[in-house]
Amino acid sequence: MTDHTMKKNLISIPHSIWPADDIRRMEREAADSLGLTLYELMQRAGEAAFHATRSAWPDARQWLVLCGHGNNGGDGYVLARLAKAVGITVTLLTQESDKPLPEEASLAREAWLNAGGVIHASDILWPEGVDVIIDALLGTGLKQAPRAPVSRLIERANAHPAPVMAIDIPSGLLAQTGTTPGAVINASHTVTFVALKPGLLTGKARDVVGCLHVDALGLEAWLAGQAVPVQRFDASLLAHWLTPRRATSHKGDHGRLVIIGGDRGTAGAVRMTSEAALRAGAGLVRVLTRSENIAPLLTARPELMVHELTSQSLDDSLEWADVVVIGPGLGQQEWGKKALQKVENFRKPMLWDADALNLLAISPDKRHNRVITPHPGEAARLLGCAVAEIENDRLDSAQRLVKRYGGVVVLKGAGTVVAAEPHGLGIVDAGNAGMASGGMGDVLSGIIGALLGQKFTPYDAACAGCVAHGAAADVLAARFGTRGMLATDLFSTLQRIVNPDVIDVYHDESSHTAP
């Protein structure tokens, strides 16, 4: 049996995310306001998981359901009963406990038994011919690594050839942070309920979630009235941000951007940043760099203005510019340090990346007109901690960076986090593993810098820039795959991405059939 739906399903995926610890409270409040019981919500969840599984694998006739000792297991009992009712062969295993089941899960278990279902111990031999495995072991309340014997069930499921449908969240993935402190289910599909949780979109989520589905269980209207604490940003929002330009606009309307960097041996970084800025719509781009870089940069991209970085050229450029981007290839020697010392006093929007961040870690300051774009290693230096601490809670790390350094923080990675004071917090749901290559951050800096020059707020420039960056890479990945993607390859798709109003006449060569 082949899984034909491995691509992430963005249909009906909401743009709102709630902290994992809020979900149980929200369920109770929503149920009370709508006159529902929590057991009725559990039945809806089990039914949603059942239909998602049937849709993903319509020919699967033998299901193995792994139930834990909590409400996640209760969802599994509901699913198992519905599957049995339509003639599917269901083998249900559960991990028994001395503790009583929650009331709703107990009712679901009783309904399964009353329907003629059988509950097997977790250590039985698994039947031959299992077509799909249902993971209903551990829910969103998990705070630590799964313990045996649940961890052994997770490992057995991962080693089995059948695909896995995870109910609410892959067991072992922490719902708030996306970390995996121990064994974790490697799901082909995940169906989550009520609302998105951060851990489904950042951290290690992309390794284990598979195709993501969201079912609000009929609570959509109630959720619409709640304040959204975290936002999900994806390519569907580009048309909202990147509206068509006025027909009479001119280059001065779209920002004068100065980019500073490219010490000896690192001209490529500032070259990528500057072309990315042009491709993202900057009106004028001036580059200040080493004198030996001028001819190569102008030869490669004659639309740039390129000058040697001197005290006078920097003063003139800071007066001329609407936006400054500093850091790509800057180095940490005296040449780069002196430039950064002058840029610190720039009062208009600016972006610091790469070596500018390493120098900032040495001499911290707080500024509200600045976007910083650290990867986890740079973030760890900025906060004086280990990289593991950054990755253990990416949302919290981004907020800590904002508190210490001000402005807008873009914490890069799979599920990039964008944070700003007082309430800006979002996760970027775009991009792919092909972006794990040198120079991608330089391209991102140019895109965000260009949007700052086009009068985007720093927060919107960061969010839209990250989405455009990831979406450009996603177009490439869909056509060629992720391995071997180069940062400069994005230039071929970026212009298309930042013009979402243009009718798409692009045809993927792979869709053509050979004569």
Side-chain angles (χ1 to χ4, degrees):
M1 182 175 53
T2 302
D3 177 8
H4 296 289
T5 53
M6 289 301 294
K7 289 185 179 179
K8 188 177 177 83
N9 174 22
L10 294 181
I11 299 173
S12 301
I13 301 294
H15 288 104
S16 53
I17 306 169
W18 268 267
D21 290 343
D22 288 357
I23 299 297
R24 191 64 177 165
R25 172 189 57 79
M26 292 166 60
E27 288 178 347
R28 288 194 297 268
E29 291 180 1
D32 288 344
S33 68
L34 298 174
L36 298 170
T37 67
L38 291 177
Y39 180 54
E40 287 173 314
L41 285 182
M42 178 173 286
Q43 290 178 302
R44 291 183 181 187
E47 184 176 359
F50 167 70
H51 288 302
T53 306
R54 288 292 298 275
S55 177
W57 302 285
D59 298 326
R61 304 306 303 163
Q62 183 156 309
W63 295 12
L64 177 68
V65 182
L66 308 178
C67 287
H69 199 75
N71 282 327
N72 195 246
D75 299 337
Y77 284 117
V78 174
L79 172 145
R81 176 171 51 80
L82 295 171
K84 184 176 184 297
V86 297
I88 292 170
T89 301
V90 178
T91 303
L92 187 147
L93 279 61
T94 190
Q95 176 54 45
E96 297 293 351
S97 172
D98 294 335
K99 296 180 180 179
L101 274 172
E103 180 183 357
E104 299 81 24
S106 181
L107 290 171
R109 183 179 188 273
E110 183 178 352
W112 163 247
L113 292 172
N114 289 340
V118 177
I119 297 174
H120 298 279
S122 62
D123 58 355
I124 69 163
L125 289 176
W126 289 8
E128 297 288 336
V130 169
D131 295 316
V132 63
I133 298 171
I134 308 299
D135 165 33
L137 288 168
L138 302 169
T140 58
L142 185 70
K143 305 294 185 185
Q144 58 190 358
R147 295 191 293 266
V150 172
S151 61
R152 289 195 292 270
L153 283 173
I154 291 172
E155 290 163 358
R156 288 184 69 183
N158 289 339
H160 197 280
V164 178
M165 171 64 79
I167 294 185
D168 214 5
I169 193 165
S171 293
L173 180 68
L174 303 195
Q176 180 60 26
T177 63
T179 53
T180 54
V184 60
I185 283 286
N186 185 9
S188 298
H189 288 252
T190 297
V191 55
T192 198
F193 308 123
V194 181
L196 280 173
K197 298 85 180 172
L200 291 166
L201 298 169
T202 193
K204 297 296 184 182
R206 291 193 181 194
D207 284 343
V208 299
V209 167
C211 182
L212 180 61
H213 312 261
V214 181
D215 195 304
L217 308 183
L219 307 183
E220 293 87 349
W222 185 86
L223 288 168
Q226 310 303 306
V228 178
V230 187
Q231 292 179 296
R232 183 182 70 88
F233 299 112
D234 71 352
S236 71
L237 299 173
L238 289 170
H240 165 75
W241 284 312
L242 297 163
T243 55
R245 289 179 167 179
R246 290 183 298 105
T248 56
S249 63
H250 58 82
K251 60 189 177 185
D253 293 333
H254 305 304
R256 297 185 298 271
L257 178 62
V258 62
I259 299 172
I260 304 164
D263 200 356
R264 292 187 176 93
T266 58
V270 76
R271 152 84 170 89
M272 289 184 282
T273 301
S274 57
E275 178 160 353
L278 290 172
R279 296 290 184 185
L284 294 164
V285 178
R286 179 182 295 183
V287 180
L288 300 183
T289 187
R290 289 285 189 181
S291 59
E292 58 264 36
N293 298 335
I294 295 174
L297 284 172
L298 288 174
T299 301
R301 194 77 277 155
E303 296 87 349
L304 296 170
M305 299 175 284
V306 189
H307 304 275
E308 181 181 5
L309 174 59
T310 65
S311 179
Q312 186 60 53
S313 69
L314 182 54
D315 287 340
D316 293 343
S317 296
L318 292 178
E319 184 175 349
W320 170 85
D322 298 316
V323 176
V324 167
V325 173
I326 187 167
L330 185 70
Q332 299 181 51
Q333 305 306 312
E334 200 61 27
W335 182 81
K337 288 180 180 178
K338 286 183 178 179
L340 192 62
Q341 287 168 359
K342 281 199 173 185
V343 170
E344 285 177 346
N345 298 316
F346 190 68
R347 299 303 178 191
K348 301 171 191 174
M350 55 182 173
L351 181 146
W352 291 24
D353 186 28
D355 284 317
L357 301 180
N358 294 324
L359 293 171
L360 178 62
I362 297 169
S363 301
D365 65 27
K366 188 171 185 177
R367 297 182 186 277
H368 297 292
N369 62 326
R370 178 175 60 197
V371 178
I372 63 174
T373 57
H375 58 57
E378 291 161 342
R381 288 190 283 277
L382 288 165
L383 291 176
C385 66
V387 173
E389 185 177 332
I390 298 295
E391 294 288 66
N392 281 343
D393 194 333
R394 290 171 52 77
L395 271 73
D396 180 68
S397 296
Q399 292 171 303
R400 288 167 58 201
L401 285 163
V402 169
K403 186 174 182 179
R404 181 172 297 188
Y405 293 98
V408 177
V409 170
V410 174
L411 179 55
K412 295 182 288 195
T416 290
V417 177
V418 184
E421 290 181 334
H423 302 301
L425 186 61
I427 299 175
V428 176
D429 196 12
N432 57 76
M435 303 173 77
S437 63
M440 286 291 177
D442 302 315
V443 171
L444 177 62
S445 293
I447 297 171
I448 296 174
L451 297 180
L452 287 170
Q454 293 167 72
K455 308 300 189 293
F456 281 60
T457 68
Y459 184 68
D460 282 351
C463 296
C466 288
V467 171
H469 185 235
D474 286 340
V475 172
L476 286 170
R479 192 177 185 197
F480 301 115
T482 57
R483 186 174 285 112
M485 186 185 297
L486 304 181
T488 52
D489 292 340
L490 269 63
F491 298 150
S492 66
T493 55
L494 181 58
Q495 183 181 6
R496 178 171 163 235
I497 291 297
V498 297
N499 289 284
D501 56 302
V502 175
I503 296 174
D504 185 2
V505 295
Y506 172 85
H507 296 286
D508 191 332
E509 292 174 359
S510 65
S511 67
H512 296 181
T513 56

